[in-house]
Amino acid sequence: MNNIFSPTEENIARAAELIRNGGLVSFPTETVYGLGANVYNTRAVASIFEAKGRPHFDPLISHIAEVEFLKEYAATDERVIALAKHFCPGPLTFILKRTDSNPSIDLACSGLSKIAVRMPDNKIALNLIKKSGVPIVAPSANKFKAVSPTTAQHVRESLGDKIGMILDGGACRVGVESTIIDVTEKQIVLLRAGGTAVEEIEAFLGEKILISDGNPNKPSAPGQLLKHYAPKNSLRINVTRKQENEFLIGFGNVEDADLNLSPSGDLKEAAANLFAYMRLADEQCGNKTLAMSPIPTTGLGLAINDRIKRASYK
Ligand code: TXA
Ligand code: MG
């Protein structure tokens, strides 16, 4: 079955109709591909959890096409609007107090009193949301715990037959998921490092963000499992010396790398290549296991280190 479609106006209009009618559409964002459904359709929201094999306690992000829409179902204040105006569209998700008690939104939020919202920086995604006329809830379009998809082919490989349409927008520009911040209290908390560097948010705010460290008294993202984003083969990280039976994914000037996330040591390039190279390494490693060079923890390096730590968890 070929369910990959080029993102023509006509195909986006068809996909929008599918969304409105309760179907599932995979669409590109700047971070990774999403598996989208109409936020106001309970059955459609439920079918996302089913397609991914995702537990219901793990809530979904709502994708909107205009900052103004934040106010429709969440409580906002001046600081949130200022942040949104500066960082949207872009790879930043806001956790806000929910004001809409629609049952389908309850399901999308796993019954929590907070909702996750973001505006993706991708023309196809924005066009799809606008044409649908509703916010689109979308997790990454992969099976639960697996590596996130950064191309339409990745989506087809992992969820292909469960999705009505996959809109093909090519490879995702950022390559790691959005940064998630909880902005419901005075102290902003980072719940997931991602495509927007923490340093950038702190510079804009002129204040520090608290890094949530799994402390149960601090807010957290229920989906941040210890093992996640996992390739099929085992992965050893922070490797400076490759062993004989290892397939090395390098970073920077590494001579014996079998693949290199960024030979010049550019963290943005490395983030964009990360998930695709974990898949490639799985395909190419034969009976070797995977290893990865150390990655600095500044800028997008924080998100990369978060993902590879979970990918390597045993
Ligand atoms: O870049 C992205 O954010 C991608 C693209 C498709 O937009 N989406 C994505 O969705 O990564 P997903 O479902 O794979 O990850 C969403 C994360 C999960 O860790 C979830 O627990 C957290 O967001 N989350 C969602 N709603 C939340 C809430 N109300 N409170 C705390 N965490 C929440
Ligand atoms: Mg995911």
Side-chain angles (χ1 to χ4, degrees):
M1 179 180 71
N2 183 17
N3 54 356
I4 297 187
F5 293 82
S6 66
T8 59
E9 282 295 316
E10 203 188 342
N11 284 338
I12 295 174
R14 273 178 66 192
E17 202 184 327
L18 195 59
I19 292 275
R20 270 197 306 279
N21 294 334
L24 297 183
V25 172
S26 177
F27 60 96
T29 79
E30 79 281 39
T31 59
V32 300
Y33 275 70
L35 176 62
N38 178 350
V39 76
Y40 295 121
N41 184 317
T42 309
R43 278 183 56 181
V45 177
S47 67
I48 288 184
F49 289 96
E50 228 165 83
K52 280 192 60 122
R54 174 169 171 138
H56 284 273
F57 61 73
D58 190 3
L60 307 173
I61 298 173
S62 291
H63 295 68
I64 59 174
E66 282 159 54
V67 169
E68 286 305 303
F69 207 89
L70 281 177
K71 296 176 188 160
E72 293 247 345
Y73 53 23
T76 56
D77 56 27
E78 267 175 36
R79 184 179 62 169
V80 169
I81 295 299
L83 273 167
K85 285 196 170 142
H86 185 79
F87 287 99
C88 295
L92 183 60
T93 295
F94 298 93
I95 303 290
L96 301 162
K97 284 196 184 114
R98 184 149 70 93
T99 52
D100 189 320
S101 58
N102 198 303
S104 64
I105 295 187
D106 245 354
L107 181 60
C109 294
S110 304
L112 300 173
S113 59
K114 297 177 184 178
I115 187 165
V117 190
R118 88 174 192 98
M119 181 172 166
D121 186 15
N122 178 290
K123 280 194 186 130
I124 300 164
L126 293 173
N127 194 351
L128 177 68
I129 300 164
K130 281 185 192 149
K131 282 198 166 69
S132 302
V134 292
I136 296 182
V137 271
S140 49
N142 53 274
K143 283 273 188 195
F144 182 55
K145 288 188 182 171
V147 179
S148 300
T150 52
T151 67
Q153 284 72 25
H154 294 162
V155 178
R156 185 158 66 191
E157 278 159 29
S158 62
L159 296 173
D161 53 341
K162 300 194 166 65
I163 307 173
M165 289 177 82
I166 302 169
L167 290 172
D168 189 353
C172 298
R173 176 174 59 80
V174 176
V176 290
E177 295 84 349
S178 60
T179 299
I180 305 181
I181 51 174
D182 185 316
V183 289
T184 58
E185 304 291 339
K186 191 166 179 300
Q187 170 68 65
I188 295 183
V189 184
L190 177 79
L191 301 191
R192 177 175 75 183
T196 300
V198 170
E199 295 91 329
E200 256 183 76
I201 308 170
E202 290 181 335
F204 176 76
L205 287 170
E207 59 183 90
K208 282 278 177 198
I209 291 177
L210 188 70
I211 312 245
S212 172
D213 53 6
N215 178 339
N217 298 320
K218 285 184 200 147
S220 66
Q224 294 306 89
L225 307 173
L226 288 174
K227 185 171 179 68
H228 201 160
Y229 314 104
K232 295 193 183 89
N233 292 282
S234 75
L235 170 70
R236 194 164 71 93
I237 57 176
N238 292 320
V239 171
T240 46
R241 191 168 302 164
K242 157 171 136 174
Q243 291 169 1
E244 219 169 88
N245 64 337
E246 284 183 326
F247 181 98
L248 180 64
I249 307 173
F251 174 81
N253 185 13
V254 178
E255 265 179 15
D256 54 355
D258 297 284
L259 286 171
N260 198 318
L261 291 171
S262 172
S264 67
D266 176 348
L267 288 166
K268 282 192 175 159
E269 184 185 14
N273 287 332
L274 180 67
F275 291 140
Y277 281 22
M278 290 214 284
R279 286 167 194 267
L280 261 185
D282 262 342
E283 280 168 33
Q284 296 180 359
C285 69
N287 44 27
K288 293 184 173 172
T289 58
L290 311 183
M292 196 178 284
S293 299
I295 315 270
T297 53
T298 51
L300 291 200
L302 194 63
I304 298 174
N305 276 287
D306 169 80
R307 304 304 184 272
I308 62 177
K309 208 165 113 196
R310 294 175 205 280
S312 67
Y313 187 81
K314 290 203 182 91

